[in-house]
Amino acid sequence: QDELFVGAVESLDYEVIENYAYREEQQAQRSKFWVPYYIMLKWFFALLIGVGTGLAAIFINLAVENFSGWKFTLTFAIIQHSYFVGFLVYILLNLALVFSSVYIVTQFAPAAAGSGIPEIKGYLNGVDTHGILLFRTLVGKIFGSIGSVGGGLALGKEGPLVHTGACIASLLGQGGSAKYHLNSRWVQIFESDRDRRDLVTCGCAAGVAAAFRAPVGGVLFALEEVTSWWRSHLMWRVFFTSAVVAVVVRSAMNWCDSGKCGHFGAGGFIIWDISGGQEDYSYQELLPVAIIGVIGGLLGALFNQLTLYITKWRRTYLHKKGKRVQIFEACLISLITSTVSFVLPLLRKCSPCPELETNSGIQCPHPPGTDGNFVNFYCSKDNEYNDLATIFFNSQDDAIRNLFSAKTFHEYSAQSLITFLVMFYSLAVVTFGTAVPAGQFVPGIMIGSTYGRLVGMSVVKFYKKLNVDEGTYALLGAASFLGGSMRMTVSLCVIMVEITNNLQLLPLIMLVLLISKAVGDFFNEGLYEEQARLKGIPLLDSRPKQVMRNMNAKDACKNQKVVCLPRVSRVVDIVSVLQSNKHNGFPIVERGQNGESLVIGLILRSHLLVLLQSKVDFQNTPFPCGPGILNRHNFSDFVKPASSKGKSIDDIHLTDEELGLYLDLAPFLNPSPYIVPEDMSLAKVYNLFRQLGLRHIFVVPRPSRVVGLITRKDLLLEEDGNTATTELQSTSVRSILSTSCKLSFSLLRRNAQN
């Protein structure tokens, strides 16, 4: 049936195509050395994915932190003489970084725009969006993230890091990039979509682990948010990959602590340590925590809806006008963001420095151009600071660290926090969807921590208790907004605990996430689901719709026209079928002894294109081929590169003589596709389709007789390492099964006679 969706999206073949080439390959791989080698290579690739993603994260963080550090240092040096000149330099530096990002994306790697998580989620759900896992997308994602985040836009690099990890995993799985001559055949062993799916899952977890220094959170993120198919062996490899990332990132941080990384300071690799803050909480604080959860659910749902409307308008009216409009749009948003972040602190009055503990590690005012609290900006006295500049004139990680910081009571005024919340929320909504790599984790944390700190200020003022810390409520606010927008629970909870190094607040984080998710679900779906649907990615949810329980399989396909091919088809007929429709699966039929058509299997469009292009299987007679023709193809001949459009019927040129020849399709079809009876409920079909990762499923009339009955016991084959013993065991099971079937038939006859 038609599997081509809107926007060049195509289903993946997670099902094993057990054709002749596959069975020949399995026979060749029965040596006792093959299975250990295959398993060892999987673990080796998990190691390479962790190292590669960790190195990519280190490079992005070093570049972003150094660009931000140079920008702030130069700006603060110039404003000592002229604020207007400093303002112009600040705008131009941000504009140059953003322009580099949007130019790379629009001209070189269009698939690198956005966070990439909806596309990767679709890939692991069984849908491939063309271009999302290519080498140029990886390059565009890395360098585009440096420009967009370093340019001060209201977006983050965490989502793009997930996409980066997935690209690295996919490229390793297919041996590199053939287009750019960066490939190696000795690693081209993971040729099926199933194997690639496992590698991409490892890459997603590695991206989160590298972005947040949260290896366990990365594993749970892959399990909860992106993947649709999971098993225990995959869990081990994903956990191993995340652990490798944590080691690589930690080694880089230790190296940077010696001062060899330029402006790279405490920021970059996120860890907002609030372990020195509030250590306990009372039942009286549950009400403000619940209020934070409700606010997070409302603001998160509103954020999803606003970004959905703006992205629809942008795709319908703006981006259709060409790449120049996309570049102009990103540069205009950069100008607005730079102006807001520079001008708003000028409108705020400076505050006198508070008295700080000598061992707190915080100084006021902080030296200009470096990361930290209490930034002196446009202040008349040396012992004053600008609370709004403390947020704007820091990298995002350092700004969040300031909002989370403990023992900094009264650092921010309510007016400054409200001003920043309104402006940054608006900028985040407008920026999301531009043609640059953009994540929403860090902007969401900044938005949530702002209103969380506001609630914390109210709690401190109302309860007048010394053990209540404003930074604690900033953390809870961040968790609530992410829960209300992205609708994650378990993985987000673990990530927040890992990046703050505070296990005491785990119950409060769980509570606020449950409330915010429940409130957000009342209004709309999560951010990634909304964006995936907008991009035409047909995600299958974990549960079928309620209406499917009142429908059967026949109802779902009654309006479809199934296109079948005979076992031995003329080449001209195959070409005509491929040109006249976009179906990707064709049932193969053969005439039975009674003259009726019998379905003998399913052949994919991509396999037909390979056969037409190679031409080696064409024959002169309309009869089934002999055994000599079966060994002309390897299983790797039918493999389609990841995220590519593959072959097209328009690219295949055949002569009139070749069009008159015949092709026997039996050796190349899938002889055992999944089949359901026509009266099976659609909900049951849905669960089978999603859980097995299928692309096609046959709907057939109710079978007339029972061939066998397999139980759990029949599937428990004992294996002692000897293939012959396993086959003998299988034979004994089949004999037992045959006996049980005969007994069942005799019972059925006896019941019918009675």
Side-chain angles (χ1 to χ4, degrees):
Q1 287 304 104
D2 190 355
E3 294 289 342
L4 288 173
F5 298 97
V6 181
V9 178
E10 186 177 352
S11 292
L12 292 162
D13 297 302
Y14 287 156
E15 182 185 357
V16 177
I17 308 299
E18 296 179 339
N19 56 19
Y20 184 84
Y22 172 80
R23 290 176 177 175
E24 266 200 340
E25 184 182 82
Q26 293 297 305
Q27 288 287 340
Q29 294 172 357
R30 280 192 174 185
S31 64
K32 60 182 179 180
F33 298 107
W34 170 254
V35 174
Y37 171 72
Y38 181 68
I39 295 174
M40 180 191 69
L41 207 57
K42 281 187 174 182
W43 284 93
F44 179 65
F45 270 51
L47 173 66
L48 291 181
I49 292 169
V51 173
T53 308
L55 293 176
I58 292 168
F59 176 73
I60 293 174
N61 280 296
L62 283 173
V64 169
E65 289 291 317
N66 278 285
F67 277 128
S68 300
W70 293 330
K71 177 179 65 179
F72 291 133
T73 301
L74 183 60
T75 302
F76 273 86
I78 294 175
I79 63 176
Q80 303 298 323
H81 308 284
S82 172
Y83 273 88
F84 180 73
V85 177
F87 173 56
L88 291 179
V89 171
Y90 181 72
I91 284 181
L92 291 175
L93 290 174
N94 282 335
L95 188 61
L97 289 169
V98 172
F99 176 78
S100 68
S101 175
V102 68
Y103 186 83
I104 289 172
V105 170
T106 54
Q107 303 296 328
F108 181 67
S115 69
I117 293 181
E119 290 85 352
I120 299 302
K121 185 172 184 177
Y123 184 88
L124 296 177
N125 193 256
V127 182
D128 187 13
T129 305
H130 296 152
I132 62 167
L133 296 175
L134 301 181
F135 178 73
R136 67 171 181 266
T137 303
L138 172 63
V139 175
K141 210 74 178 181
I142 292 175
F143 289 96
S145 299
I146 293 172
S148 61
V149 178
L153 293 180
L155 43 82
K157 57 184 178 292
E158 286 67 35
L161 266 176
V162 175
H163 193 175
T164 299
C167 288
I168 292 173
S170 178
L171 289 170
L172 284 173
Q174 58 184 347
S177 174
K179 181 178 180 181
Y180 297 99
H181 306 290
L182 298 173
N183 60 331
S184 175
R185 291 200 59 83
W186 71 273
V187 294
Q188 292 179 358
I189 188 173
F190 301 109
E191 295 177 327
S192 70
D193 287 335
R194 281 192 169 209
D195 290 331
R196 291 174 182 171
R197 172 181 61 187
D198 291 352
L199 294 175
V200 170
T201 304
C202 293
C204 291
V208 175
F212 293 107
R213 275 179 56 196
V216 179
V219 176
L220 293 176
F221 175 83
L223 171 61
E224 179 185 9
E225 186 61 24
V226 292
T227 190
S228 302
W229 194 81
W230 198 264
R231 68 185 190 279
S232 58
H233 292 295
L234 180 60
M235 171 79 82
W236 276 103
R237 288 200 301 276
V238 171
F239 186 76
F240 173 69
T241 304
S242 299
V244 171
V245 171
V247 172
V248 172
V249 170
R250 187 66 190 178
S251 301
M253 290 191 63
N254 293 335
W255 184 68
C256 288
D257 286 341
S258 60
K260 299 178 181 178
C261 299
H263 283 276
F264 186 88
F269 297 117
I270 300 172
I271 183 161
W272 301 304
D273 194 343
I274 60 170
S275 56
Q278 184 173 340
E279 297 179 355
D280 200 4
Y281 51 89
S282 64
Y283 70 93
Q284 295 172 320
E285 297 178 59
L286 295 180
L287 178 60
V289 168
I291 293 174
I292 289 178
V294 173
I295 295 174
L298 294 174
L299 290 181
L302 178 63
F303 182 86
N304 293 358
Q305 205 64 38
L306 291 176
T307 53
L308 184 65
Y309 289 149
I310 292 178
T311 306
K312 280 184 179 179
W313 175 83
R314 183 180 276 130
R315 290 166 62 91
T316 305
Y317 300 104
L318 204 60
H319 287 180
K320 285 185 176 180
K321 297 182 179 179
K323 298 177 181 179
R324 291 185 178 180
V325 175
Q326 297 179 20
I327 295 175
F328 177 78
E329 177 201 18
C331 292
L332 178 62
I333 292 176
S334 173
L335 288 173
I336 295 173
T337 304
S338 301
T339 303
V340 167
S341 60
F342 195 97
V343 173
L344 281 182
L346 295 176
L347 304 178
R348 289 292 304 164
K349 291 182 179 180
C350 291
S351 306
C353 287
E355 294 183 3
L356 297 170
E357 298 178 6
T358 55
N359 59 350
S360 64
I362 301 174
Q363 61 182 116
C364 181
H366 204 276
T370 57
D371 58 285
N373 298 68
F374 304 108
V375 173
N376 187 314
F377 181 80
Y378 202 61
C379 298
S380 58
K381 298 180 181 179
D382 292 337
N383 61 341
E384 291 183 336
Y385 74 98
N386 190 317
D387 59 347
L388 202 52
T390 300
I391 308 176
F392 276 122
F393 282 94
N394 270 304
S395 64
Q396 292 179 345
D397 296 340
D398 292 321
I400 296 171
R401 186 175 290 105
N402 294 346
L403 290 168
F404 280 6
S405 60
K407 309 303 181 185
T408 54
F409 295 99
H410 313 300
E411 178 181 1
Y412 302 98
S413 64
Q415 295 86 348
S416 294
L417 290 178
I418 293 173
T419 302
F420 176 78
L421 175 62
V422 173
M423 295 308 302
F424 194 82
Y425 190 94
S426 304
L427 290 173
V429 169
V430 174
T431 307
F432 187 83
T434 52
V436 294
Q440 284 304 308
F441 273 101
V442 167
I445 292 174
M446 291 189 72
I447 292 170
S449 58
T450 304
Y451 68 74
R453 185 116 186 173
L454 279 168
V455 175
M457 292 167 60
S458 303
V459 173
V460 170
K461 186 178 296 184
F462 182 78
Y463 288 117
K464 293 183 171 53
K465 292 171 61 177
L466 295 178
N467 64 335
V468 175
D469 198 287
E470 297 174 4
T472 300
Y473 287 85
L475 164 66
L476 297 176
S480 72
F481 186 82
L482 292 178
S485 176
M486 300 178 183
R487 312 293 159 78
M488 296 187 296
T489 52
V490 179
S491 59
L492 184 57
C493 182
V494 173
I495 289 173
M496 296 305 293
V497 170
E498 286 187 284
I499 63 179
T500 55
N501 195 24
N502 194 324
L503 199 60
Q504 301 286 342
L505 303 176
L506 179 60
L508 293 183
I509 296 175
M510 294 172 65
L511 175 63
V512 80
L513 282 174
L514 289 172
I515 295 175
S516 62
K517 184 182 186 305
V519 173
D521 284 339
F522 183 78
F523 295 98
N524 50 33
E525 290 186 297
L527 179 66
Y528 299 137
E529 287 77 11
E530 295 278 8
Q531 293 298 318
R533 185 170 290 106
L534 182 63
K535 294 178 179 180
I537 302 174
L539 293 179
L540 292 180
D541 297 329
S542 57
R543 291 183 299 175
K545 304 293 183 183
Q546 187 64 32
V547 68
M548 291 183 177
R549 304 190 183 281
N550 302 322
M551 301 173 63
N552 55 36
K554 188 177 181 179
D555 295 333
C557 59
K558 61 183 178 182
N559 296 325
Q560 296 175 354
K561 181 182 178 182
V562 181
V563 180
C564 300
L565 290 171
R567 171 182 172 173
V568 182
S569 302
R570 293 183 65 195
V571 174
V572 65
D573 295 334
I574 298 175
V575 172
S576 176
V577 166
L578 295 179
Q579 289 176 339
S580 60
N581 62 76
K582 297 296 183 181
H583 295 356
N584 277 290
F586 301 94
I588 305 302
V589 297
E590 189 176 26
R591 290 290 178 184
Q593 296 179 351
N594 300 329
E596 58 179 296
S597 297
L598 300 176
V599 178
I600 62 173
L602 174 79
I603 193 165
L604 297 177
R605 182 188 191 92
S606 59
H607 290 194
L608 288 173
L609 293 173
V610 170
L611 298 175
L612 292 177
Q613 189 177 52
S614 67
K615 305 177 184 180
V616 297
D617 303 293
F618 294 173
Q619 59 187 44
N620 295 317
T621 60
F623 300 106
C625 63
I629 202 172
L630 299 179
N631 56 2
R632 293 179 181 175
H633 288 281
N634 296 321
F635 184 72
S636 58
D637 296 340
F638 301 102
V639 175
K640 183 175 76 73
S643 295
S644 69
K645 295 182 180 180
K647 296 180 176 65
S648 172
I649 186 62
D650 299 327
D651 301 329
I652 298 174
H653 304 285
L654 299 169
T655 64
D656 293 338
E657 182 181 355
E658 291 169 339
L659 289 173
L661 299 178
Y662 295 88
L663 186 60
D664 185 4
L665 303 176
F668 314 105
L669 53 81
N670 181 7
S672 54
Y674 286 91
I675 295 174
V676 297
E678 60 183 352
D679 56 352
M680 178 183 284
S681 73
L682 192 57
K684 209 170 181 179
V685 176
Y686 183 97
N687 290 327
L688 178 69
F689 197 96
R690 186 183 187 277
Q691 291 173 12
L692 294 178
L694 303 181
R695 185 175 187 178
H696 304 93
I697 195 165
F698 279 180
V699 179
V700 299
R702 169 61 66 180
S704 58
R705 63 189 182 90
V706 179
V707 176
L709 184 67
I710 295 178
T711 64
R712 180 185 297 267
K713 185 178 180 181
D714 302 318
L715 300 175
L716 298 176
L717 304 181
E718 296 181 3
E719 190 170 350
D720 59 358
N722 189 347
T723 307
T725 306
T726 305
E727 292 177 351
L728 182 62
Q729 179 73 8
S730 303
T731 305
S732 64
V733 171
R734 284 197 295 269
S735 63
I736 295 172
L737 182 60
S738 177
T739 305
S740 64
C741 288
K742 292 178 181 178
L743 180 60
S744 300
F745 278 125
S746 62
L747 291 174
L748 286 172
R749 289 197 196 95
R750 189 177 303 170
N751 292 336
Q753 293 172 358
N754 293 337

